[in-house]
Amino acid sequence: MDRLGSDLAKTFCAEPKLHDGVREAGSSVRREVDIFNDQPQQMQQDDVRSVRPPWPDVPSFPTAAGVASFRCDVLIVGAGITGAMMAERLTREGHDVVLIDREQPCRGSTAASTAMLLWEIDRPLGQLGSLIGFDRAARCYQASLRAVTELKRQISERTLPGELRARQSLYLARDDDSRVLRDELAQRTRAGLPGIFLDHRTLLDNFGFARAGAILSPGAADADPVQLAGGLLSLALSRGAHLVQGNAVFFDCGKARVTVGLDDGHEIEARHVVLATGYAIPRIVKPTIHRVTSSWAIATVPQPQNLWKDEVLIWEASDDYHYARTTPDGRIIFGGEDDDELIEPDARDHAIPEKSRRLAAELSALWPRAILDTDYQWSGTFDTTDDGLPLIGVVPGYKNVYGAYGYGGNGITFSYLASELVATLIGGRSSPLLDDFAIERSPLGGT
């Protein structure tokens, strides 16, 4: 830790000149002070999740605190699953990377994730196509499938922790009409996406679920999100990335480099800044189709004798869907009951007992064989977008500042896509997906 602080200090030792907490600069400088102004400045990790998710903590990482001002190539703000993926990708390309986080890495909203790595997007392909056009919607779905495929391959090749397991997904009819699923599968087939339709009898005989029908698709996965994030972060650190504990309070984008001011008075100058702050959105990021909600989940006692066939990932064909997966030790994780009114941390967590009872009842209705005794009950912030797509790309009006926000039920999948696309931008290239995922876009796909 001491050596890390020394190495960083050598790169930029001049003390910045401060005045009333704001860096002095000319009138042409684009500056934002108190970057989390729209949210509590002291928002803690427990504010984005309750304290009882089932994932074990990762070991502590070597973190520099109170280092002097310094320069780097890429500064990543946030050291959760998105920041870790970003750091792994950029160090793989040889960039000088520093991650900064005001709390412990991998223990914020990452720990609340149920880590169902689906390529199927919250918005069905048919609905998304009606919003942004079939070709663009198909491109987004195809990119999501490639992202999960590539993530599985890279984790396997690098033998990273995270208990990642390849899985199929089962998209269940919510009511007695399966025509919506048949239409959705036709759209997917047109887009070259895999999957087959299971009617009521086939679904019941093969998987034991008494629903009108389902789409069974290959290509998904599940994982331990905390261990996965920790493994990716460890890999980036082994390549020379640094981890700094600190709280960013302003941006200065008026020069060739971006200056990020910390609450201790020091500054970091970077060629590029990546915002991977999860559900704590800096004030300079102003998405037009984003909304905050909350979600709840339970994890049962281990019951490997009661799990469904192939331990497929399960989610429902409805706007407010329930979802389910299993764990390597035989637990059933069941989540949902999303609510956009109970978003304050205390109110959200106060609802855990009642929401858990509802989840247990829904699990019992879906899978009567389940033992409903739970070892874990938790809640978390669950931000979404109107079109179900992530927020990735240049922050409008802030040169060389990029947002990486993989919201919705595809958070980890979208985080991987963000790492690919931001690396593309930093490398001076582009992608049509950056228009699809633009931070300030209309619900109809405009930017």
Side-chain angles (χ1 to χ4, degrees):
M1 184 181 298
D2 290 340
R3 182 176 180 275
L4 172 59
S6 175
D7 287 348
L8 290 174
K10 289 176 184 176
T11 64
F12 183 33
C13 296
E15 281 294 315
K17 187 174 181 181
L18 302 176
H19 179 69
D20 293 333
V22 181
R23 183 174 183 269
E24 288 188 348
S27 59
S28 63
V29 172
R30 185 63 182 269
R31 180 177 64 241
E32 288 288 346
V33 183
D34 189 6
I35 63 172
F36 297 101
N37 189 55
D38 291 343
Q39 303 170 34
Q41 177 64 21
Q42 299 305 317
M43 189 178 191
Q44 304 298 312
Q45 288 176 331
D46 288 351
D47 290 334
V48 295
R49 61 160 174 81
S50 60
V51 296
R52 291 289 292 165
W55 318 114
D57 284 341
V58 295
S60 298
F61 292 95
T63 304
V67 298
S69 301
F70 62 90
R71 286 192 178 103
C72 63
D73 185 19
V74 181
L75 176 69
I76 300 171
V77 184
I81 184 67
T82 305
M85 283 189 176
M86 196 71 60
E88 189 283 322
R89 170 64 192 225
L90 293 174
T91 54
R92 197 188 335 151
E93 294 193 352
H95 291 284
D96 166 33
V97 173
V98 174
L99 300 100
I100 184 171
D101 203 307
R102 58 189 178 189
E103 297 190 75
Q104 293 296 314
C106 312
R107 295 183 180 131
S109 55
T110 297
S113 173
T114 51
M116 294 171 58
L117 279 63
L118 295 166
W119 56 264
E120 299 156 289
I121 297 169
D122 281 354
R123 279 277 188 180
L125 178 57
Q127 288 186 17
L128 185 59
S130 68
L131 287 175
I132 65 176
F134 176 81
D135 289 344
R136 294 182 69 181
R139 178 169 65 208
C140 294
Y141 262 77
Q142 291 159 356
S144 186
L145 176 58
R146 287 195 302 271
V148 178
T149 302
E150 279 298 299
L151 180 58
K152 289 190 294 185
R153 181 185 64 79
Q154 291 184 21
I155 291 172
S156 175
E157 289 179 353
R158 293 169 174 79
T159 61
L160 294 176
E163 298 182 325
L164 186 138
R165 308 179 302 172
R167 287 289 177 264
Q168 298 182 93
S169 69
L170 199 60
Y171 187 39
L172 293 174
R174 177 65 177 173
D175 52 32
D176 294 332
D177 190 348
S178 64
R179 287 177 296 180
V180 171
L181 290 183
R182 292 181 183 275
D183 291 343
E184 173 66 11
L185 182 60
Q187 293 293 309
R188 294 185 186 186
T189 301
R190 178 185 171 195
L193 299 167
I196 59 173
F197 180 77
L198 307 180
D199 62 19
H200 169 75
R201 175 51 58 186
T202 304
L203 176 63
L204 188 61
D205 290 347
N206 284 271
F207 290 96
F209 297 113
R211 295 291 181 89
I215 297 175
L216 179 66
S217 301
D222 60 28
D224 175 330
V226 175
Q227 298 299 318
L228 177 58
L232 292 164
L233 183 55
S234 294
L235 180 57
L237 294 176
S238 73
R239 294 175 180 154
H242 293 309
L243 180 62
V244 173
Q245 185 173 14
N247 186 20
V249 294
F250 75 78
F251 290 120
D252 180 337
C253 301
K255 296 183 178 179
R257 288 176 174 264
V258 181
T259 299
V260 177
L262 308 184
D263 61 357
D264 63 3
H266 290 113
E267 295 182 351
I268 304 170
E269 285 192 3
R271 295 183 186 276
H272 307 276
V273 172
V274 182
L275 302 176
T277 55
Y279 299 117
I281 306 176
R283 189 160 58 101
I284 66 172
V285 181
K286 301 171 182 176
T288 54
I289 61 171
H290 161 268
R291 57 189 173 89
V292 180
T293 186
S294 296
S295 192
W296 287 261
I298 58 175
T300 70
V301 297
Q303 47 184 308
Q305 74 281 8
N306 292 327
L307 304 183
W308 47 82
K309 180 183 176 182
D310 298 336
E311 299 181 55
V312 295
L313 307 185
I314 297 167
W315 61 304
E316 295 177 319
S318 64
D319 290 338
D320 296 321
Y321 58 84
H322 294 93
Y323 46 92
R325 58 161 289 190
T326 63
T327 63
D329 61 351
R331 301 179 190 276
I332 297 173
I333 293 178
F334 193 83
E337 294 297 310
D338 297 358
D339 195 321
D340 57 8
E341 294 184 358
L342 294 176
I343 58 175
E344 292 299 323
D346 289 344
R348 182 198 66 211
D349 291 351
H350 183 73
I352 288 176
E354 176 58 28
K355 293 287 190 177
S356 296
R357 283 191 290 271
R358 294 182 187 178
L359 289 171
E362 290 283 349
L363 172 58
S364 179
L366 174 67
W367 190 243
R369 291 173 52 185
I371 297 171
L372 300 180
D373 296 338
T374 59
D375 279 344
Y376 300 93
Q377 304 173 355
W378 73 103
S379 64
T381 299
F382 182 76
D383 288 14
T384 61
T385 58
D386 292 343
D387 55 15
L389 301 177
L391 305 172
I392 302 171
V394 176
V395 177
Y398 295 88
K399 183 181 178 181
N400 295 330
V401 179
Y402 314 99
Y405 295 98
Y407 293 151
N410 306 82
I412 293 177
T413 304
F414 287 159
S415 291
Y416 183 83
L417 268 175
S419 71
E420 297 288 303
L421 291 170
V422 171
T424 294
L425 285 169
I426 290 175
R429 304 180 304 277
S430 189
S431 165
L433 289 168
L434 291 166
D435 292 328
D436 303 327
F437 303 156
I439 290 172
E440 294 183 13
R441 64 179 185 269
S442 77
L444 297 179
T447 56

